Amino acid sequence: MTRTAEGGPVSRVKGMLRRVEHTYAEDGGRPIRGYLVAMSAFAAYTTGWALLVRRRGRPLPDRPMPWDVALTAVATFRLSRLLSKASVTSPLRAPFTTFVGPQGPAELHEEARSDDRKATVGELVTCPFCVSVWVASSLTAGQLLWPRATRTAMGALTALAGADALQLTYGALVDRTTGD
């Protein structure tokens, strides 16, 4: 069923993908196949977590507690920015990105490499919104499998987000009062 002969199923799927890519972005500037791979990887990742939760026999809550949702949101925000923008995590992104310059306090502006195989990963790892989907899924799974440890880590990330907000507020107040 995986024949690559002309007219075979694999050939037809590849042709369909080429047509979709061309009609979606005539200049070919959008890595549709890469996005499809990323979506498939995310589906496999979340399926793996779901299977592990099921295997462990952990009961799912009837609904998430509002405190857990808030804690997860702030921790997801902070960890996503740490992974996708922080200077200290740039070695993780470097194989897929190119440094452009600084972008805000302790953050970098990087762009995805143009190599087709690295472009999608580069876009993913430099986008805090994209990374947050993976982080939120991981933290949710962590809450189901290791609730105490995960909540402790999320508490630390939330404290870090609060400290960042205080640092930025303090810096703005100093600038305002000293005129710098």
Side-chain angles (χ1 to χ4, degrees):
M1 187 76 182
T2 59
R3 291 183 333 188
T4 56
E6 191 172 320
V10 172
S11 178
R12 286 194 300 269
V13 169
K14 285 181 178 180
M16 181 189 71
L17 276 174
R18 277 192 296 276
R19 285 189 300 280
V20 167
E21 283 179 315
H22 179 72
T23 58
Y24 181 73
E26 289 187 24
D27 66 355
R30 305 304 307 154
I32 297 295
R33 289 182 218 189
Y35 295 154
L36 186 59
V37 170
M39 288 176 8
S40 299
F42 182 75
Y45 180 73
T46 55
T47 298
W49 277 120
L51 291 173
L52 184 58
V53 168
R54 184 176 185 157
R55 178 181 240 180
R56 293 267 179 103
R58 294 288 199 160
L60 295 175
D62 290 331
R63 62 183 149 290
M65 299 303 293
W67 173 251
D68 284 337
V69 172
L71 190 64
T72 304
V74 176
T76 296
F77 161 78
R78 188 63 202 107
L79 185 54
S80 297
R81 290 211 68 88
L82 181 66
L83 293 171
S84 65
K85 295 290 182 187
S87 300
V88 72
T89 56
S90 63
L92 301 174
R93 298 184 304 273
F96 311 101
T97 61
T98 302
F99 174 76
V100 175
Q103 177 184 331
E107 290 192 343
L108 302 178
H109 175 67
E110 298 164 319
E111 291 182 357
R113 293 191 183 222
S114 58
D115 177 358
D116 286 340
R117 289 173 286 174
K118 294 183 178 183
T120 304
V121 177
E123 283 190 37
L124 173 68
V125 299
T126 60
C127 171
F129 299 98
C130 304
V131 172
S132 70
V133 175
W134 293 75
V135 169
S137 298
S138 300
L139 292 176
T140 300
Q143 288 178 74
L144 294 171
L145 294 168
W146 310 284
R148 292 178 70 179
T150 303
R151 282 191 185 95
T152 300
M154 290 191 320
L157 288 164
T158 300
L160 182 57
D164 290 347
L166 290 170
Q167 294 287 0
L168 292 170
T169 302
Y170 179 80
L173 287 172
V174 168
D175 289 348
R176 188 173 180 190
T177 58
T178 62
D180 290 339

